Amino acid sequence: MKLLTAARMRELDRQAIEDLGIPGVVLMENAGRGAAERLARCYAEFFPGPVLILAGKGNNGGDGYVIARHLLNWGWQVQTLVLAEPSAIVGDASVNLDILTRMGGQVAFVPDEHRLLTALDELGATRLVVDALFGTGLCAPVRGHYGRAIDWINACGRPVVAVDIPSGVDATHGSLLGKAVRADLTLTFAAPKLGQALYPGWAQVGTLEVLDIGIPATLLAACEEDFRLVTAAEVGPLLPARPATGHKGTFGHLLVVAGSRGKTGAAALAAEGGLRMGAGLVTLGCPLSVQPAMAIKLTEVMTASLAEVDGALALAAGEALRDLWRDKEALAVGPGLGTSEETTELVRKLVRECPLPMVIDADGLNALGPYPSFLRDIPDLQAVLTPHPGEMSRLTGTSVADIEADRVGAARRFALDYRVTLVLKGARTIVALPDGRVRITAGGNPGMASGGMGDALTGIIGGLLAQGLTVESAAVLGVYLHALAGDRLAVRQGNSGLFASDLLRELPAARAALAAGEIEDRLC
Ligand SMILES: NC(=O)C1=CN([C@@H]2O[C@H](COP(=O)(O)OP(=O)(O)OC[C@H]3O[C@@H](n4cnc5c(N)ncnc54)[C@H](OP(=O)(O)O)[C@@H]3O)[C@@H](O)[C@H]2O)[C@@H](O)CC1
Ligand SMILES: [K+]
C-alpha cells in the first residue's frame, strides 16, 4: 500500500486541480463529506452530539467546516471554534466557512489564547471532538494557542476524530512537532501518509481509515512509489513455491557462518531460522572448539569445524569456507562471531569473495564498519544488511539518536550509497532497497525486544535466499513473516517473555496462514 509524503500529497492535489481541472473546493467537499459520514456512522450512539470542531486557518480547517455543515444538516448539534481571525481564512476554506456561517452554524473565532480558553470554559457538554487544526501543511513546531488547543483535546476525555492526520504529527517523518493530538480515529484522504506509518506519529493515529476524495486512481497509480506499507496481498505471492515433487535439494542449502565461545545461541537461532523458513539444508560453520556443542544442540543442522583463535574464527578458516560455500545457495554471516581482529578480517574477506547472495548481521556488520566503502567495489554484490540502531550507528558514524530521529532517511541513504538492501530493525522495521525505495512493516510487538530475535531474522532471510528469492524479496518477506510470527505468538502469550526459539516454532504456521490468504493487515 502506497504511503505518501506531504510533498507527494501536495503534488497529487496540484495535478488533480491544475492538470485535470477538478476544483479544490470539490476535493474539500468530498473530504469533509466523507469524514462526516464515517464519523456519523462510527459514533451513531452519540447522536445528536454536541460535537466540537476545532479548526485551524488552513485547508484542514476547511475540511472541518464541511464536516460541520453536513453534521448540522443531519440533525447534529455542532459548535465550531476557529483558531484564527475571520480575515485569515482564505480560498476554499473561506468558501466553506461562509456557507457554514450563512446556514446558521455556530461558529466562534478564537485567534488568541485568552479567547480560546474562555470559549472552552464556556462550552457546554461535548460528546465528540473533531481535530481539524493542522493537516499535511504543518512542518514546524506548533505555535501559540494551537498548542493549548492540542493540550485541551488530549485532556478532554471525549472520543477524538482527527481529520487527515492528528494535528502536530509531521505527515512525512512521523515526528511530533512540539505537541500532537492523540486521536481515537483518523480519517485520512486519498492514501495513508508516510508519517502515519512511523513512530512516534503512528501511536497518535488510533484507528486509521482511508477515504477516497475523488483524486483519480490513475493519478495515484502513476505517482512514484518510493514508500509502501507492506501488506499480506503484496508479500504472499513472494513465498517460494513448494512443489509436491520437491526434495531437500529443491529448497536450497544455506551456509551459516556464526558463533564463538560463549555465543552459541546466536548461531543456533540463525541456523534453525533457515530451516524453519523452509531451506532444504543448513550447514553451520563455527569455531572448532564450539562445534561439538553445536552438533549436540542442533539435530537437523549440519555443522563444520573451522580454524579458530581463542574460541573465535581465525583468518585461516578462509580456505575451508571457500570449500563450504561451493555447493550452497546462500550465506548468512555474523551472529555471535565476536569482534576479534582475525574474525573481523575473515568476515571482510568472506563478504568480498563469496559469490553467494548473503545476509550480514550482528558481528558481521561490526566487521564491516564504519563507512564500508569496499562494498561498492564488489561486483554484483547481493547483500542484505540487518542492523539494529546501535549497529547502524557503528556502520555510519552517526549517533543512535540521529538514526532514530529519521529511520527512513538513514536506511535509505545507506542503501543508495552502498547499493545493498538495508533492514533497519526496531519499532517499525524499515527495509530500504538499493534503488531508494522503502518498505515498512506494520507488524511486530514489544515482546520481540528480546535477545536472539535478530539472529532468528538472519536465519529467516537466509532461508529465503537459499530458496532462490532475490535479496529485496527475501528482506521484505522475511521481515514481514518474522513480525507476523511474533504477533501470533503475542496473541497467545502476551508481549513479554517471548523467546526467539518460540517465534521460530511459530514460523511455519505463520507462513501457511499467509499462503492461505488468511492474514488481515492492520494499518495501525
Ligand atoms: N489541497 C487540497 O486540495 C485539499 C486539501 N485538503 C486538506 O488540506 C490539508 C492541508 O491544508 P494546508 O496545506 O492548507 O495546511 P494545513 O494542514 O491546514 O495547516 C497549515 C496552516 O497552519 C498554519 N501553520 C503552519 N505551521 C504552523 C505552526 N507551526 N503553528 C501554527 N500555525 C501553523 C499555516 O499558516 P501559516 O504559517 O502559513 O501562516 C497554515 O494556514 C490536508 O491535510 C487536508 O486536510 C482536503 O481538503 C482535500 C483537498
Ligand atoms: K488534523
PDB file of all heavy atoms in Angstrom, residues 125-147:
ATOM      1  N   ALA A 125     -21.603  20.719  27.551  1.00  0.00           N
ATOM      2  CA  ALA A 125     -21.116  19.342  27.412  1.00  0.00           C
ATOM      3  C   ALA A 125     -20.791  19.059  25.950  1.00  0.00           C
ATOM      4  O   ALA A 125     -21.519  19.478  25.065  1.00  0.00           O
ATOM      5  CB  ALA A 125     -22.192  18.380  27.894  1.00  0.00           C
ATOM      6  N   THR A 126     -19.677  18.381  25.734  1.00  0.00           N
ATOM      7  CA  THR A 126     -19.301  17.970  24.370  1.00  0.00           C
ATOM      8  C   THR A 126     -19.160  16.461  24.375  1.00  0.00           C
ATOM      9  O   THR A 126     -18.590  15.892  25.296  1.00  0.00           O
ATOM     10  CB  THR A 126     -17.938  18.593  23.998  1.00  0.00           C
ATOM     11  OG1 THR A 126     -18.098  19.993  23.921  1.00  0.00           O
ATOM     12  CG2 THR A 126     -17.434  18.075  22.665  1.00  0.00           C
ATOM     13  N   ARG A 127     -19.686  15.803  23.350  1.00  0.00           N
ATOM     14  CA  ARG A 127     -19.609  14.342  23.359  1.00  0.00           C
ATOM     15  C   ARG A 127     -18.532  13.814  22.424  1.00  0.00           C
ATOM     16  O   ARG A 127     -18.107  12.669  22.560  1.00  0.00           O
ATOM     17  CB  ARG A 127     -20.976  13.745  22.998  1.00  0.00           C
ATOM     18  CG  ARG A 127     -22.059  14.189  23.960  1.00  0.00           C
ATOM     19  CD  ARG A 127     -23.278  13.340  23.848  1.00  0.00           C
ATOM     20  NE  ARG A 127     -23.070  12.015  24.420  1.00  0.00           N
ATOM     21  CZ  ARG A 127     -23.931  11.018  24.273  1.00  0.00           C
ATOM     22  NH1 ARG A 127     -25.026  11.204  23.574  1.00  0.00           N
ATOM     23  NH2 ARG A 127     -23.692   9.849  24.815  1.00  0.00           N
ATOM     24  N   LEU A 128     -18.153  14.674  21.491  1.00  0.00           N
ATOM     25  CA  LEU A 128     -17.219  14.217  20.467  1.00  0.00           C
ATOM     26  C   LEU A 128     -16.392  15.401  20.005  1.00  0.00           C
ATOM     27  O   LEU A 128     -16.931  16.504  19.869  1.00  0.00           O
ATOM     28  CB  LEU A 128     -18.071  13.711  19.297  1.00  0.00           C
ATOM     29  CG  LEU A 128     -17.517  12.700  18.326  1.00  0.00           C
ATOM     30  CD1 LEU A 128     -17.107  11.438  19.071  1.00  0.00           C
ATOM     31  CD2 LEU A 128     -18.610  12.352  17.298  1.00  0.00           C
ATOM     32  N   VAL A 129     -15.091  15.185  19.762  1.00  0.00           N
ATOM     33  CA  VAL A 129     -14.240  16.295  19.332  1.00  0.00           C
ATOM     34  C   VAL A 129     -13.619  15.976  17.971  1.00  0.00           C
ATOM     35  O   VAL A 129     -13.134  14.866  17.762  1.00  0.00           O
ATOM     36  CB  VAL A 129     -13.121  16.548  20.374  1.00  0.00           C
ATOM     37  CG1 VAL A 129     -12.161  17.627  19.880  1.00  0.00           C
ATOM     38  CG2 VAL A 129     -13.732  16.954  21.712  1.00  0.00           C
ATOM     39  N   VAL A 130     -13.685  16.962  17.074  1.00  0.00           N
ATOM     40  CA  VAL A 130     -13.065  16.804  15.760  1.00  0.00           C
ATOM     41  C   VAL A 130     -11.838  17.709  15.688  1.00  0.00           C
ATOM     42  O   VAL A 130     -11.934  18.917  15.905  1.00  0.00           O
ATOM     43  CB  VAL A 130     -14.053  17.163  14.625  1.00  0.00           C
ATOM     44  CG1 VAL A 130     -13.349  17.118  13.261  1.00  0.00           C
ATOM     45  CG2 VAL A 130     -15.241  16.204  14.649  1.00  0.00           C
ATOM     46  N   ASP A 131     -10.699  17.100  15.394  1.00  0.00           N
ATOM     47  CA  ASP A 131      -9.443  17.848  15.293  1.00  0.00           C
ATOM     48  C   ASP A 131      -9.199  18.207  13.822  1.00  0.00           C
ATOM     49  O   ASP A 131      -8.783  17.363  13.030  1.00  0.00           O
ATOM     50  CB  ASP A 131      -8.310  16.976  15.856  1.00  0.00           C
ATOM     51  CG  ASP A 131      -6.956  17.370  15.275  1.00  0.00           C
ATOM     52  OD1 ASP A 131      -6.754  18.576  14.998  1.00  0.00           O
ATOM     53  OD2 ASP A 131      -6.114  16.468  15.107  1.00  0.00           O
ATOM     54  N   ALA A 132      -9.486  19.484  13.488  1.00  0.00           N
ATOM     55  CA  ALA A 132      -9.231  19.983  12.127  1.00  0.00           C
ATOM     56  C   ALA A 132      -8.277  21.178  12.218  1.00  0.00           C
ATOM     57  O   ALA A 132      -8.465  22.196  11.547  1.00  0.00           O
ATOM     58  CB  ALA A 132     -10.544  20.365  11.448  1.00  0.00           C
ATOM     59  N   LEU A 133      -7.269  21.038  13.087  1.00  0.00           N
ATOM     60  CA  LEU A 133      -6.341  22.165  13.292  1.00  0.00           C
ATOM     61  C   LEU A 133      -5.276  22.217  12.197  1.00  0.00           C
ATOM     62  O   LEU A 133      -5.120  23.213  11.511  1.00  0.00           O
ATOM     63  CB  LEU A 133      -5.670  22.027  14.671  1.00  0.00           C
ATOM     64  CG  LEU A 133      -6.594  22.207  15.876  1.00  0.00           C
ATOM     65  CD1 LEU A 133      -5.860  21.844  17.168  1.00  0.00           C
ATOM     66  CD2 LEU A 133      -7.107  23.641  15.939  1.00  0.00           C
ATOM     67  N   PHE A 134      -4.533  21.120  12.057  1.00  0.00           N
ATOM     68  CA  PHE A 134      -3.489  21.053  11.025  1.00  0.00           C
ATOM     69  C   PHE A 134      -3.577  19.726  10.298  1.00  0.00           C
ATOM     70  O   PHE A 134      -3.834  18.693  10.914  1.00  0.00           O
ATOM     71  CB  PHE A 134      -2.077  21.095  11.638  1.00  0.00           C
ATOM     72  CG  PHE A 134      -1.798  22.300  12.475  1.00  0.00           C
ATOM     73  CD1 PHE A 134      -1.508  22.156  13.818  1.00  0.00           C
ATOM     74  CD2 PHE A 134      -1.791  23.571  11.918  1.00  0.00           C
ATOM     75  CE1 PHE A 134      -1.222  23.253  14.603  1.00  0.00           C
ATOM     76  CE2 PHE A 134      -1.504  24.680  12.699  1.00  0.00           C
ATOM     77  CZ  PHE A 134      -1.229  24.523  14.045  1.00  0.00           C
ATOM     78  N   GLY A 135      -3.267  19.769   9.027  1.00  0.00           N
ATOM     79  CA  GLY A 135      -3.164  18.532   8.257  1.00  0.00           C
ATOM     80  C   GLY A 135      -1.750  18.388   7.740  1.00  0.00           C
ATOM     81  O   GLY A 135      -0.778  18.544   8.484  1.00  0.00           O
ATOM     82  N   THR A 136      -1.649  18.158   6.442  1.00  0.00           N
ATOM     83  CA  THR A 136      -0.335  17.913   5.845  1.00  0.00           C
ATOM     84  C   THR A 136       0.485  19.184   5.691  1.00  0.00           C
ATOM     85  O   THR A 136       1.647  19.130   5.297  1.00  0.00           O
ATOM     86  CB  THR A 136      -0.504  17.259   4.455  1.00  0.00           C
ATOM     87  OG1 THR A 136      -1.414  18.071   3.702  1.00  0.00           O
ATOM     88  CG2 THR A 136      -1.042  15.853   4.568  1.00  0.00           C
ATOM     89  N   GLY A 137      -0.122  20.355   5.983  1.00  0.00           N
ATOM     90  CA  GLY A 137       0.596  21.620   5.803  1.00  0.00           C
ATOM     91  C   GLY A 137       1.512  21.985   6.960  1.00  0.00           C
ATOM     92  O   GLY A 137       2.279  22.948   6.860  1.00  0.00           O
ATOM     93  N   LEU A 138       1.448  21.237   8.057  1.00  0.00           N
ATOM     94  CA  LEU A 138       2.276  21.604   9.224  1.00  0.00           C
ATOM     95  C   LEU A 138       3.667  21.016   9.089  1.00  0.00           C
ATOM     96  O   LEU A 138       3.825  19.817   8.897  1.00  0.00           O
ATOM     97  CB  LEU A 138       1.623  21.069  10.503  1.00  0.00           C
ATOM     98  CG  LEU A 138       2.336  21.434  11.795  1.00  0.00           C
ATOM     99  CD1 LEU A 138       2.101  22.900  12.153  1.00  0.00           C
ATOM    100  CD2 LEU A 138       1.882  20.543  12.935  1.00  0.00           C
ATOM    101  N   CYS A 139       4.676  21.891   9.180  1.00  0.00           N
ATOM    102  CA  CYS A 139       6.034  21.333   9.112  1.00  0.00           C
ATOM    103  C   CYS A 139       6.981  22.012  10.103  1.00  0.00           C
ATOM    104  O   CYS A 139       8.187  21.805  10.063  1.00  0.00           O
ATOM    105  CB  CYS A 139       6.575  21.407   7.697  1.00  0.00           C
ATOM    106  SG  CYS A 139       6.434  23.027   6.985  1.00  0.00           S
ATOM    107  N   ALA A 140       6.429  22.852  10.991  1.00  0.00           N
ATOM    108  CA  ALA A 140       7.263  23.482  12.023  1.00  0.00           C
ATOM    109  C   ALA A 140       6.578  23.251  13.365  1.00  0.00           C
ATOM    110  O   ALA A 140       5.382  22.952  13.400  1.00  0.00           O
ATOM    111  CB  ALA A 140       7.382  24.979  11.735  1.00  0.00           C
ATOM    112  N   PRO A 141       7.315  23.383  14.457  1.00  0.00           N
ATOM    113  CA  PRO A 141       6.684  23.156  15.757  1.00  0.00           C
ATOM    114  C   PRO A 141       5.426  24.008  15.941  1.00  0.00           C
ATOM    115  O   PRO A 141       5.387  25.165  15.531  1.00  0.00           O
ATOM    116  CB  PRO A 141       7.781  23.564  16.747  1.00  0.00           C
ATOM    117  CG  PRO A 141       9.051  23.345  16.000  1.00  0.00           C
ATOM    118  CD  PRO A 141       8.749  23.655  14.568  1.00  0.00           C
ATOM    119  N   VAL A 142       4.416  23.393  16.531  1.00  0.00           N
ATOM    120  CA  VAL A 142       3.131  24.064  16.762  1.00  0.00           C
ATOM    121  C   VAL A 142       3.355  25.328  17.600  1.00  0.00           C
ATOM    122  O   VAL A 142       4.063  25.295  18.606  1.00  0.00           O
ATOM    123  CB  VAL A 142       2.196  23.094  17.523  1.00  0.00           C
ATOM    124  CG1 VAL A 142       0.946  23.796  17.992  1.00  0.00           C
ATOM    125  CG2 VAL A 142       1.879  21.892  16.652  1.00  0.00           C
ATOM    126  N   ARG A 143       2.740  26.419  17.155  1.00  0.00           N
ATOM    127  CA  ARG A 143       2.958  27.700  17.856  1.00  0.00           C
ATOM    128  C   ARG A 143       1.708  28.129  18.625  1.00  0.00           C
ATOM    129  O   ARG A 143       0.592  27.750  18.280  1.00  0.00           O
ATOM    130  CB  ARG A 143       3.249  28.812  16.834  1.00  0.00           C
ATOM    131  CG  ARG A 143       4.550  28.705  16.084  1.00  0.00           C
ATOM    132  CD  ARG A 143       4.784  29.985  15.279  1.00  0.00           C
ATOM    133  NE  ARG A 143       3.714  30.272  14.333  1.00  0.00           N
ATOM    134  CZ  ARG A 143       3.739  29.936  13.045  1.00  0.00           C
ATOM    135  NH1 ARG A 143       4.782  29.286  12.560  1.00  0.00           N
ATOM    136  NH2 ARG A 143       2.737  30.234  12.236  1.00  0.00           N
ATOM    137  N   GLY A 144       1.964  28.974  19.635  1.00  0.00           N
ATOM    138  CA  GLY A 144       0.929  29.760  20.305  1.00  0.00           C
ATOM    139  C   GLY A 144      -0.248  28.967  20.828  1.00  0.00           C
ATOM    140  O   GLY A 144      -0.078  27.878  21.394  1.00  0.00           O
ATOM    141  N   HIS A 145      -1.446  29.550  20.623  1.00  0.00           N
ATOM    142  CA  HIS A 145      -2.629  28.957  21.248  1.00  0.00           C
ATOM    143  C   HIS A 145      -3.031  27.635  20.608  1.00  0.00           C
ATOM    144  O   HIS A 145      -3.832  26.899  21.165  1.00  0.00           O
ATOM    145  CB  HIS A 145      -3.789  29.956  21.260  1.00  0.00           C
ATOM    146  CG  HIS A 145      -4.289  30.319  19.899  1.00  0.00           C
ATOM    147  ND1 HIS A 145      -3.472  30.618  18.850  1.00  0.00           N
ATOM    148  CD2 HIS A 145      -5.557  30.424  19.420  1.00  0.00           C
ATOM    149  CE1 HIS A 145      -4.186  30.900  17.784  1.00  0.00           C
ATOM    150  NE2 HIS A 145      -5.465  30.797  18.110  1.00  0.00           N
ATOM    151  N   TYR A 146      -2.434  27.293  19.437  1.00  0.00           N
ATOM    152  CA  TYR A 146      -2.695  25.967  18.859  1.00  0.00           C
ATOM    153  C   TYR A 146      -2.229  24.882  19.828  1.00  0.00           C
ATOM    154  O   TYR A 146      -2.859  23.841  19.971  1.00  0.00           O
ATOM    155  CB  TYR A 146      -1.966  25.807  17.521  1.00  0.00           C
ATOM    156  CG  TYR A 146      -2.672  26.496  16.366  1.00  0.00           C
ATOM    157  CD1 TYR A 146      -2.311  27.779  15.964  1.00  0.00           C
ATOM    158  CD2 TYR A 146      -3.703  25.862  15.679  1.00  0.00           C
ATOM    159  CE1 TYR A 146      -2.955  28.408  14.907  1.00  0.00           C
ATOM    160  CE2 TYR A 146      -4.356  26.478  14.624  1.00  0.00           C
ATOM    161  CZ  TYR A 146      -3.979  27.756  14.242  1.00  0.00           C
ATOM    162  OH  TYR A 146      -4.623  28.365  13.201  1.00  0.00           O
ATOM    163  N   GLY A 147      -1.102  25.148  20.495  1.00  0.00           N
ATOM    164  CA  GLY A 147      -0.573  24.188  21.464  1.00  0.00           C
ATOM    165  C   GLY A 147      -1.549  23.989  22.618  1.00  0.00           C
ATOM    166  O   GLY A 147      -1.770  22.864  23.076  1.00  0.00           O
TER     167      GLY A 147
END
